[in-house]
Amino acid sequence: MKFLIIIPTHNEEKNILFTLKSLVQQTFQNFLCVVVNDGSTDKTQEIVENYISNFTLSSVETSKFKIQNLALSEHEPGAKVVRTFNKGLETVDLKDFDVICKFDADIIFPKNYLQKIKTEYESNPKSGMVSGIVKIKKSVFEYHLAFDFIDQKKQWKFENISSQNHVRGPIKSYRKECFQDMNGLRPVLGWDNIDVMLAQKNGWEVKTIKDLWVKHLRPTAYQYKSQKAKKLGEYFYNIGLSLPLAAISSAKSSFKNRSISEFFTTLTTFLKQKEERRLSSEEIKYIRNLRWGKMLRR
């Protein structure tokens, strides 16, 4: 198997070296990593280019790493990262790869990460998406323990923003055939839930390996917390929910968070969406039936 790893990157001068070094240390080395620098205004480009040209580990060829530098794109939560990822896809021929990975630039991987992902794909032909789980630091980050995954001090905790059964956005991997069946990733907020549903629609299994974890150096979407209700309304629209489904889903979320205002904000935002959805009518029908089925079972 050969892996294609694409890392969309913007202003990650503090984190990108940790990610690259953890990939250099992988026990499985049959991969190509493309860092797609989306107009960084800090030293990200310089750091990556210097690292690629200067590191001298004899066991790793510099040709395993490439950088693609883009002009700064417009800031769009969800859409921006997928469009940057797609620019990386355009630099390769997918026929040369078996697994496609979209990794964030602020992740530290254990040495056996790619090997365990590879083993899962090889052992189960129906596995279409596979990942480990994501942990964030509980205390101050200790640089000398950056690549230590024994974690004797218990400094890392599960990033509890989704189920441990969900393949998270920062560490996505896809069997190439699954990725092609899904028709790739959709450049909208919520792409990292849409892909799971479309993989399942096409008969693929989604697997997280619970004892395999990565270090996430920044909490996910930390800058969007104050906009949560609006983003939820946009997400409900993007995944194709009908008005009744959006209303019920908004009510459930607002009840969980004990916020009546959240319900009205979410639903109002949903109703304001005018852009054409990035899903086909068949895909929308599948997602709506899936959501109704989950609600009725509860």
Side-chain angles (χ1 to χ4, degrees), residues 187-206:
V188 294
L189 182 71
W191 67 270
D192 54 337
N193 286 315
I194 290 173
D195 63 346
V196 171
M197 292 184 283
L198 294 185
Q200 293 170 333
K201 175 184 180 297
N202 286 284
W204 294 99
E205 296 176 8
V206 178

Side-chain angles (χ1 to χ4, degrees), residues 24-25 60 224 237 268 286 298:
V24 167
Q25 295 172 8
V60 180
Y224 304 134
Y237 177 84
T268 299
Y286 173 82
R298 290 174 184 172

Side-chain angles (χ1 to χ4, degrees), residues 38-281:
D38 185 19
S40 293
T41 56
D42 63 1
K43 294 184 178 180
T44 296
Q45 178 178 340
E46 177 185 346
I47 288 170
V48 175
E49 289 178 342
N50 286 341
Y51 185 71
I52 292 174
S53 62
N54 292 335
F55 80 83
T56 57
L57 289 178
S58 59
S59 60
V60 180
E61 299 174 1
T62 56
S63 59
K64 289 183 183 296
F65 295 88
K66 295 167 49 178
I67 184 170
Q68 180 187 19
N69 294 306
L70 308 176
L72 180 62
S73 63
E74 182 181 353
H75 178 67
E76 295 179 88
K80 176 185 173 75
V81 69
V82 172
R83 291 192 177 112
T84 304
F85 169 83
N86 286 339
K87 288 292 184 181
L89 278 184
E90 294 172 4
T91 68
V92 301
D93 189 340
L94 285 186
K95 72 177 178 58
D96 297 329
F97 301 93
D98 303 289
V99 175
I100 301 166
C101 303
K102 179 265 164 201
F103 291 160
D104 278 8
D106 55 1
I107 298 292
I108 302 177
F109 297 92
K111 291 181 180 180
N112 64 343
Y113 189 84
L114 295 182
Q115 180 61 52
K116 294 197 75 168
I117 298 297
K118 171 179 173 285
T119 299
E120 173 59 30
Y121 281 121
E122 290 180 332
S123 63
N124 182 5
K126 294 304 294 179
S127 288
M129 295 177 60
V130 182
S131 79
I133 63 171
V134 177
K135 292 188 178 184
I136 55 175
K137 57 184 179 295
K138 292 192 291 186
S139 56
V140 176
F141 180 53
E142 296 187 46
Y143 288 90
H144 70 286
L145 294 176
F147 302 102
D148 168 47
F149 281 82
I150 298 175
D151 194 25
Q152 290 181 335
K153 295 184 178 182
K154 305 298 180 185
Q155 293 181 319
W156 296 85
K157 63 179 181 179
F158 175 63
E159 189 175 21
N160 191 25
I161 64 173
S162 63
S163 164
Q164 289 197 21
N165 294 316
H166 179 67
V167 174
R168 290 282 313 283
I171 51 171
K172 293 283 189 179
S173 84
Y174 310 87
R175 190 187 296 272
K176 179 176 66 177
E177 292 79 8
C178 173
F179 187 83
Q180 292 171 329
D181 285 348
M182 291 161 38
N183 195 25
L185 306 183
R186 309 305 162 90
V188 294
L189 182 71
W191 67 270
D192 54 337
N193 286 315
I194 290 173
D195 63 346
V196 171
M197 292 184 283
L198 294 185
Q200 293 170 333
K201 175 184 180 297
N202 286 284
W204 294 99
E205 296 176 8
V206 178
K207 172 72 178 292
T208 55
I209 304 172
K210 307 298 191 304
D211 63 350
L212 181 66
W213 59 281
V214 304
K215 297 178 178 181
H216 198 186
L217 300 178
R218 292 188 302 173
T220 297
Y222 65 95
Q223 67 268 48
Y224 304 134
K225 288 183 178 179
S226 62
Q227 308 170 33
K228 180 181 177 181
K230 289 183 178 180
K231 297 304 177 187
L232 196 59
E234 185 179 345
Y235 166 69
F236 288 157
Y237 177 84
N238 289 340
I239 65 173
L241 297 194
S242 61
L243 178 57
L245 264 174
I248 294 171
S249 298
S250 300
K252 288 179 64 178
S253 179
S254 62
F255 179 77
K256 178 181 178 181
N257 295 319
R258 299 181 181 181
S259 172
I260 295 176
S261 64
E262 180 186 309
F263 169 78
F264 291 105
T265 300
T266 301
L267 200 57
T268 299
T269 303
F270 172 85
L271 293 170
K272 285 182 178 179
Q273 302 303 306
K274 302 298 181 185
E275 290 190 12
E276 183 178 353
R277 286 178 167 125
R278 297 302 183 103
L279 298 167
S280 68
S281 57

Side-chain angles (χ1 to χ4, degrees), residues 20-36:
L20 296 181
K21 287 179 179 179
S22 69
L23 290 174
V24 167
Q25 295 172 8
Q26 291 297 301
T27 55
F28 175 73
Q29 284 288 317
N30 194 18
F31 66 81
L32 170 67
C33 176
V34 182
V35 178
V36 187

